[in-house]
Amino acid sequence: MLLRHTPKEVMERNALTINPAKTCQPIGAMYASLGIHGCLPHSHGSQGCCAYHRSALTRHYKEPVMAGTSSFTEGASVFGGQANLIQAIDTIFSVYDPEVIAVHTTCLSETIGDDIPQIARKAEAEGKIPKGKFIIHANTPSYVGTHVTGFANMTKAMVTYFAESNGKRSEQINIIPGYVEPSDMEEIGRIAGELGIKTVMFPDTSNVLNRPQTGKFEMYPKGGVTVGALKTIGESKATVALGQTASWPAARALDVKCNVHCELLDLPIGLKATDRFIDTLRTIAGVSVPDSINLDRGRLLDIITDMHQYFYQKKVALVGDPDQLVALTEFLVSIDMWPIHIVTGTTGKKFEAKIQELTREIPHPVNVKAGGDMFLFHQWIKNDPVDLMMGNTYVKYISRDEDIPFIRFGFPILDRVGHSYFPTVGYRGGMRLLEKILDTLLDRQDRDSPEESFELVM
Amino acid sequence: MAAIDDRSAAPEIESIDPNAVKKELLSKYPTKVARKRAKQIIINKVGDDCAAPEIGANSRAIPGIITQRGCSYAGCKGVVLGPTRDFVNLTHGPIGCGFYSWLTRRNQTRPPTLEDPNFMPYCFSTDLQDEDIVFGGEKKLRAAIQEAYDIFRPKAISVFSTCPVGLIGDDVHSVAKEMKEKLGINVFGFSCEGYKGVSQSAGHHIANNGIFKHVVGLDDTQKEGKYKINLLGEYNIGGDGFEIDRVLEKCGITTVSTFSGNSTYDQFANAHTADLNTIMCHRSINYVAEMMEKKFGIPWIKVNFTGAGSAAKSLRKIAKYFDDPELIATVEKVIAEEMVEVEKVQAEVRQRCEGKLAMLFVGGSRAHHYQDLFAEMGMKTISAGYEFAHRDDYEGRRVLPDIKVDADSRNIEELHIDPDPDRYRPRKSAEQIEELAAKGFSFKDYEGMMPDMSDGTLVIDDISQYETERMLEIYKPAIFCAGIKEKYAVQKKGIPMKQLHSYDSGGPYAGFKGAVNFYREIDRMVNCKVWSFLKAPWQTNPELAATYACE
């Protein structure tokens, strides 16, 4: 028993977090920055944060993750990090030559109160920023929100720094895909392409964090939204923001700045959320949905009808980030599974209300907590066991102890591949999720069934 | 520089001038940066008395250069105290630091029974919020310690400070003291804020001081057994410590404590009862060894269990210290037994690995130790360096008196230690020490990495991403060893990359069985088929595309 000190009895905790279901802002900002083409993320703080964030993203994607750091020393921590950032800007442009340096902060520089735009102006005045190159920034204090907040902040910075408006409207539609995998961004882009819609997606980490092995290391891989494209988002017809926590702040900012109409949707995970996503795109763009998409939808439905008996009334426990959990809960409920324990590390009453609404018809008590941790999650499972758990790699400890089947979903996944290559969004992503759920449940049935009822055909 | 820019074929090493390489590495940097890096990129040349050239080390990283270094918190909590299973290690800070150091280093632990505590799979944090930054986090820290105690009833709770804690002025030490009195268990804090010092190294020192001040010497129980040693600076990554324990046990040597792989609170408390301290990782733990010698009279020696030859040498060194014919005979018998399999596999892999080039850029210790393993396979280390070692790790402890502590590291506390009035007991008399010295036995000595490396090899401290890339292009080594952040960038260049921090989930690599594991692993990697598939058939011969099969 690896987590043998976790008692079944739930004691109220006000100060101690155990086994968090979240991490801190800057890693989300770093991830978002990598979704800009030719961009080097920069961590304005002491270098440990940068090392940790690069390592965590690398372990998740099995890809190079490059970023600079201001490498604060004790002196800079007391007197401010201006000299460090100016030197970093000089070194980075001389050696690594990015198009954009996207600066995020840490709890260190935020507590000190470093003014990044002022430092960037000083660097510019000193001639440290080559012509045609950019420095953008987002404040990402680690003691506010979570990694998803950091993602939202840096995505919003893309709007603040690049969106321009000349009052004209193009036919283009902006898509903010949310804190999802490169494979998901690719799939969202593919769906828009099938509909024949011109889109700009930001950020876009496909072909950055799932790039090919070619025998060459490219500091700035082919993927990522270009600065040129970001400059046009202010003229787009509309913005579709996927996921309230990750995408809505940027969409709202663009509406305020350039008056671009925005639609907030759930992440397109599962049948109904994907339906709404496609229906919204179709309506805004004024296009009809092609057969290829109807075909995918029909296939997803077909799996549900064919295999419904294995989903029906199976109890599931979910832990992860709020936007994913909302969409996933809706999907599971729609196939008559019972998500009964749902924990996110991100705080917010809206999340709890939304989950309660989605699970209203389940004839079984449902636990939901925003701002919870995986220690509480485990305790809930001990008190009311489930048939399946979905969450990041850390859930494997609970899975082993409690002997409950487990599907890796969310961030971080440190011990398997697939998540960066194959989507979980859209109808195709839904099919993949169903395949994973069925494989996991049926493997368990095969393992546990007595010899006489061991089935060849299922 | 023609040889340098030729990217098609593996170059003849003799034709590469290391001076030209150094010049090339520095050429892209702004003047000030180049001047600083020049002191950290050294062409090795070992003098007659084993003196190595001076290297600039343990100085601040250059902002924006893409260093691989981490911070003081990582050195203290992540490295030194993280592997101890029965402490509740509580991170006082926002959630990130605790999260990223949660189970990401592969320090294995094996509690004897299910009833023995093991908190290593848990992450404990005060998860500071903005109101705590504004109003101070001491109240929350106090409450978190209380909650941890109520739920887990641990033997000890240690508190690790992160960046903002120092800035907002939380006094973790007084909170710890107060809670220690209240709860009646040992509670102590570490001021290992990430900005202290210039790397993980400061955190090692802070951890050494803390564990020495708060735990070492608390329990005088004498452990049963002969030839009692402590193994310092061995963190049991991938089971290294288990393999070393197996060998020591076979020799009849008793390990009182390991700092800190597979360790417990009681082992630390009892460590001062050993008769010899043996140091694996000099960088991270030499402070504790020095302090134990001053306070309790326990001498220390450097050992290295990485590499079969080095392991054998280290066992002989320990046996020589105890100077007991029975132990000396057992050690020889064990070495002979263990070497049978080692030599068999060595001979096998040499056929495929002999003469190939390796580069090693690892933390503060392994870049040296692992050169022995490569040498045993017939492979040459063409370049090596550390992230955060000091000059003594590079050049040997002989240079200690010359090392100036710079402004960035001056605030790391140096404890003043006096002999313990009751428990100080020199383990060897002055005459015995002299006698051993006459037989070539050296105490308190570490000769460093550079004297072990060939002339003309490049020693690079705190290597940057840019320098890494250029070194790969210039030398095209058969294998590059570093950590997770470098791994995939190196492999994208078509060069196998072995992680020598995490071992890529493999191991153990220490001791005799570890050596066999390592030979097989490196053989697998440098001879792996995939590297021959990087180009598709139509990329290698595009001009033939227009011919018809029937012609």
Side-chain angles (χ1 to χ4, degrees):
Chain A
M1 297 289 273
L2 283 156
L3 299 171
R4 56 177 175 262
H5 302 287
T6 306
K8 194 172 172 184
E9 185 201 342
V10 178
M11 188 193 97
E12 204 197 326
R13 282 174 285 133
N14 297 309
L16 182 66
T17 293
I18 314 166
N19 301 352
K22 63 171 179 182
T23 183
C24 65
Q25 281 211 43
I27 194 172
M30 188 182 280
Y31 180 61
S33 306
L34 290 164
I36 302 175
H37 180 71
C39 176
L40 189 71
H42 183 84
S43 168
H44 186 55
S46 65
Q47 68 209 7
C49 314
C50 186
Y52 274 144
H53 299 143
R54 290 178 61 202
S55 299
L57 288 171
T58 302
R59 289 180 181 122
H60 178 80
Y61 290 109
K62 321 289 180 209
E63 289 288 342
V65 173
M66 291 299 152
T69 162
S70 296
S71 291
F72 272 54
T73 56
E74 190 156 13
S77 307
V78 176
F79 301 112
Q82 173 168 296
N84 293 57
L85 184 52
I86 290 178
Q87 195 187 350
I89 289 169
D90 190 27
T91 311
I92 288 170
F93 281 125
S94 306
V95 183
Y96 297 107
D97 195 31
E99 298 296 310
V100 183
I101 299 175
V103 182
H104 60 259
T105 56
T106 68
C107 45
L108 178 53
S109 52
E110 285 295 328
T111 306
I112 300 171
D114 271 354
D115 181 350
I116 309 293
Q118 176 266 320
I119 300 173
R121 279 197 300 277
K122 191 158 192 299
E124 190 164 29
E126 289 175 12
K128 301 278 164 64
I129 306 173
K131 278 242 154 358
K133 306 276 181 169
F134 302 90
I135 296 195
I136 69 170
H137 98 287
N139 292 98
T140 51
S142 312
Y143 41 77
V144 175
T146 68
H147 56 296
V148 188
T149 321
F151 178 93
N153 285 339
M154 185 52 84
T155 306
K156 188 176 159 190
M158 294 174 200
V159 170
T160 316
Y161 277 92
F162 293 120
E164 290 170 0
S165 164
N166 56 7
K168 285 186 193 143
R169 284 277 159 250
S170 70
E171 282 304 298
Q172 169 180 280
I173 293 171
N174 303 322
I175 300 181
I176 309 178
Y179 197 156
V180 294
E181 300 290 336
S183 47
D184 294 324
M185 298 188 187
E186 208 164 274
E187 178 63 7
I188 289 166
R190 191 193 66 81
I191 291 171
E194 290 281 307
L195 286 164
I197 301 171
K198 188 171 183 295
T199 55
V200 177
M201 180 155 34
F202 68 95
D204 181 1
T205 58
S206 62
N207 246 327
V208 177
L209 289 166
N210 57 359
R211 62 223 253 199
Q213 170 62 273
T214 57
K216 279 195 199 109
F217 167 65
E218 284 157 329
M219 187 86 186
Y220 308 107
K222 288 208 169 60
V225 61
T226 61
V227 169
L230 281 172
K231 289 196 170 205
T232 69
I233 57 177
E235 295 161 19
S236 297
K237 191 173 183 177
T239 302
V240 175
L242 303 176
Q244 161 108 32
T245 327
S247 301
W248 191 232
R252 287 284 305 134
L254 188 57
D255 190 3
V256 170
K257 186 178 180 188
C258 301
N259 202 20
V260 181
H261 166 75
C262 51
E263 294 272 349
L264 173 65
L265 295 176
D266 290 322
L267 284 176
I269 294 171
L271 184 75
K272 288 160 78 177
T274 305
D275 283 351
R276 292 195 295 273
F277 171 59
I278 289 170
D279 206 34
T280 304
L281 278 185
R282 170 191 73 99
T283 317
I284 297 174
V287 296
S288 50
V289 176
D291 283 348
S292 59
I293 285 184
N294 290 324
L295 184 67
D296 283 342
R297 186 178 191 274
R299 284 174 173 159
L300 174 63
L301 273 177
D302 196 52
I303 295 179
I304 300 171
T305 52
D306 293 349
M307 306 302 274
H308 183 259
Q309 71 185 94
Y310 299 106
F311 302 129
Y312 186 64
Q313 295 189 350
K314 288 290 189 304
K315 290 193 265 181
V316 195
L318 309 174
V319 59
D321 296 333
D323 297 345
Q324 273 82 352
L325 292 184
V326 165
L328 188 62
T329 300
E330 185 190 42
F331 185 33
L332 298 180
V333 169
S334 77
I335 57 175
D336 293 306
M337 293 185 88
W338 288 357
I340 58 161
H341 306 306
I342 301 161
V343 169
T344 182
T346 306
T347 48
K349 287 277 163 258
K350 267 191 187 157
F351 173 82
E352 292 184 3
K354 182 103 193 223
I355 296 289
Q356 270 151 4
E357 167 68 23
L358 287 168
T359 54
R360 203 183 44 218
E361 283 168 21
I362 297 178
H364 190 280
V366 173
N367 290 317
V368 55
K369 173 114 178 163
D373 58 26
M374 285 172 58
F375 189 74
L376 174 70
F377 179 72
H378 189 177
Q379 289 181 311
W380 279 351
I381 290 168
K382 277 181 181 289
N383 284 292
D384 187 357
V386 290
D387 302 297
L388 182 70
M389 298 183 295
M390 295 177 82
N392 68 31
T393 286
Y394 285 99
V395 175
K396 79 194 249 179
Y397 288 78
I398 304 174
S399 169
R400 182 180 154 118
D401 277 3
E402 306 296 336
D403 195 24
I404 295 171
F406 153 52
I407 291 170
R408 285 163 184 79
F409 179 86
F411 178 83
I413 296 171
L414 307 167
D415 60 339
R416 297 291 190 272
V417 296
H419 50 89
S420 51
Y421 300 104
F422 307 106
T424 57
V425 300
Y427 301 126
R428 291 186 179 180
M431 289 161 70
R432 176 164 174 257
L433 273 176
L434 293 187
E435 188 192 18
K436 272 174 172 277
I437 292 171
L438 286 165
D439 275 354
T440 309
L441 292 175
L442 298 185
D443 276 352
R444 178 53 57 106
Q445 190 174 324
D446 280 344
R447 194 197 80 176
D448 290 348
S449 58
E451 288 190 2
E452 64 274 19
S453 55
F454 185 71
E455 302 288 346
L456 177 71
V457 182
M458 292 166 97
Chain B
M1 296 303 288
I4 287 180
D5 289 324
D6 176 14
R7 299 182 59 172
S8 56
E12 291 292 323
I13 293 312
E14 293 72 26
S15 71
I16 301 177
D17 172 12
N19 291 291
V21 174
K22 177 170 176 176
K23 215 174 133 201
E24 157 86 11
L25 293 183
L26 297 174
S27 64
K28 212 171 182 182
Y29 290 129
T31 322
K32 249 175 70 186
V33 175
R35 205 180 307 135
K36 178 147 193 280
R37 290 302 300 153
K39 294 183 190 146
Q40 292 171 277
I41 302 175
I42 301 298
I43 297 145
N44 198 38
K45 183 149 180 56
V46 185
D48 301 331
D49 55 348
C50 281
E54 180 176 337
I55 187 165
N58 191 34
S59 57
R60 63 172 74 169
I62 293 163
I65 199 163
I66 310 194
T67 173
Q68 312 296 354
R69 281 183 178 173
C71 66
S72 168
Y73 166 86
C76 183
K77 193 268 185 181
V79 172
V80 180
L81 274 310
T84 307
R85 66 171 167 262
D86 55 359
F87 286 35
V88 162
N89 280 335
L90 174 61
T91 300
H92 185 40
I95 201 65
C97 310
F99 179 84
Y100 302 113
S101 56
W102 180 20
L103 292 166
T104 45
R105 285 175 65 81
R106 300 181 54 234
N107 316 105
Q108 297 188 359
T109 200
R110 191 189 284 150
T113 73
L114 271 179
E115 275 64 52
D116 289 278
N118 177 15
F119 301 118
M120 282 174 63
Y122 293 90
C123 165
F124 305 97
S125 174
T126 52
D127 188 11
L128 294 184
Q129 300 298 305
D130 42 1
E131 64 268 20
D132 304 316
I133 300 298
V134 176
F135 300 109
E138 287 183 15
K139 201 173 138 209
K140 195 172 191 189
L141 174 60
R142 214 172 278 129
I145 293 171
Q146 183 69 52
E147 288 174 7
Y149 177 77
D150 293 343
I151 300 172
F152 300 100
R153 304 278 157 168
K155 271 201 170 126
I157 298 176
S158 46
V159 180
F160 298 88
S161 305
T162 61
C163 287
V165 170
L167 299 175
I168 62 175
D170 275 4
D171 185 348
V172 297
H173 304 286
S174 69
V175 172
K177 199 163 158 244
E178 182 194 322
M179 294 308 287
K180 180 180 176 174
E181 277 156 22
K182 183 176 178 200
L183 303 174
I185 60 163
N186 204 350
V187 184
F188 45 95
F190 294 87
S191 289
C192 53
E193 286 86 349
Y195 55 74
K196 293 264 175 85
V198 298
S199 66
Q200 289 93 313
S201 179
H204 301 150
H205 198 161
I206 293 164
N208 277 236
N209 289 348
I211 200 76
F212 192 77
K213 223 163 42 180
H214 296 289
V215 187
V216 172
L218 290 181
D219 169 23
D220 288 328
T221 317
Q222 290 287 332
K223 194 173 173 180
E224 292 291 312
K226 280 167 107 175
Y227 321 119
K228 283 190 268 189
I229 68 165
N230 295 318
L231 185 59
L232 305 185
E234 166 49 56
Y235 302 101
N236 203 21
I237 305 285
D240 276 353
F242 292 145
E243 165 63 6
I244 298 171
D245 286 348
R246 178 187 73 83
V247 175
L248 290 173
E249 220 166 279
K250 215 169 149 185
C251 295
I253 298 164
T254 309
T255 317
V256 177
S257 74
T258 302
F259 281 59
S260 53
N262 191 34
S263 63
T264 59
Y265 180 83
D266 292 344
Q267 284 185 20
F268 292 145
N270 190 243
H272 65 297
T273 63
D275 292 321
L276 175 68
N277 276 325
T278 61
I279 294 192
M280 268 291 278
C281 171
H282 175 259
R283 182 67 271 135
S284 65
I285 211 81
N286 74 86
Y287 315 96
V288 153
E290 288 282 304
M291 292 188 283
M292 277 210 240
E293 176 154 22
K294 278 188 193 148
K295 189 167 179 182
F296 301 106
I298 309 169
W300 70 262
I301 57 169
K302 177 78 180 73
V303 292
N304 173 20
F305 286 95
T306 311
S310 316
K313 215 161 112 188
S314 296
L315 289 174
R316 289 185 177 119
K317 207 165 161 185
I318 296 169
K320 201 173 187 181
Y321 170 84
F322 286 105
D323 202 21
D324 181 331
E326 188 192 318
L327 177 62
I328 292 169
T330 318
V331 161
E332 289 307 326
K333 193 173 140 261
V334 169
I335 294 171
E337 260 174 47
E338 296 286 332
M339 285 305 285
V340 176
E341 175 72 5
V342 169
E343 279 162 8
K344 193 187 109 206
V345 181
Q346 238 178 47
E348 194 191 314
V349 297
R350 258 181 185 271
Q351 300 169 32
R352 293 182 290 264
C353 300
E354 184 95 53
K356 290 192 153 101
L357 299 186
M359 289 184 181
L360 295 83
F361 295 92
V362 202
S365 164
R366 291 191 172 103
H368 181 198
H369 289 165
Y370 274 77
Q371 293 187 29
D372 294 355
L373 272 166
F374 282 115
E376 287 170 3
M377 303 176 69
M379 291 177 68
K380 288 192 278 194
T381 301
I382 189 69
S383 184
Y386 295 121
E387 278 173 51
F388 50 74
H390 300 195
R391 277 185 63 201
D392 44 323
D393 306 289
Y394 283 106
E395 302 168 52
R397 284 178 68 94
R398 65 168 76 202
V399 302
L400 276 175
D402 307 334
I403 296 180
K404 291 186 235 32
V405 179
D406 69 12
D408 293 324
S409 299
R410 202 165 293 140
N411 287 344
I412 311 302
E413 191 188 10
E414 197 69 61
L415 294 184
H416 177 79
I417 306 293
D418 289 319
D420 188 288
D422 306 318
R423 298 180 293 179
Y424 181 82
R425 180 171 60 83
R427 301 322 202 248
K428 294 270 173 192
S429 66
E431 300 82 65
Q432 283 171 313
I433 297 240
E434 227 164 85
E435 205 178 301
L436 280 164
K439 283 196 240 169
F441 196 93
S442 53
F443 287 102
K444 300 174 63 129
D445 192 29
Y446 174 43
E447 80 287 1
M449 176 176 87
M450 291 166 83
D452 267 359
M453 292 178 70
S454 317
D455 288 352
T457 51
L458 277 147
V459 180
I460 306 179
D461 179 63
D462 187 20
I463 194 170
S464 70
Q465 170 61 27
Y466 168 71
E467 292 157 18
T468 301
E469 282 176 53
R470 289 305 286 140
M471 289 297 284
L472 293 170
E473 286 158 9
I474 295 165
Y475 287 97
K476 300 183 174 64
I479 194 150
F480 188 93
C481 305
I484 186 71
K485 298 189 293 299
E486 296 94 320
K487 181 167 176 95
Y488 301 100
V490 173
Q491 293 201 160
K492 282 283 195 277
K493 274 179 163 341
I495 292 169
M497 160 44 193
K498 180 67 193 168
Q499 292 188 64
L500 285 189
H501 297 274
S502 77
Y503 304 165
D504 296 299
S505 311
Y509 294 144
F512 300 99
K513 290 195 171 163
V516 168
N517 286 341
F518 192 76
Y519 303 151
R520 293 205 188 284
E521 171 69 354
I522 297 302
D523 179 32
R524 173 190 75 75
M525 291 183 80
V526 302
N527 296 304
C528 172
K529 287 190 211 66
V530 72
W531 307 112
S532 65
F533 306 145
L534 297 184
K535 283 213 162 23
W538 52 91
Q539 287 167 325
T540 35
N541 278 320
E543 69 278 10
L544 296 181
T547 48
Y548 287 101
C550 59
E551 281 174 359

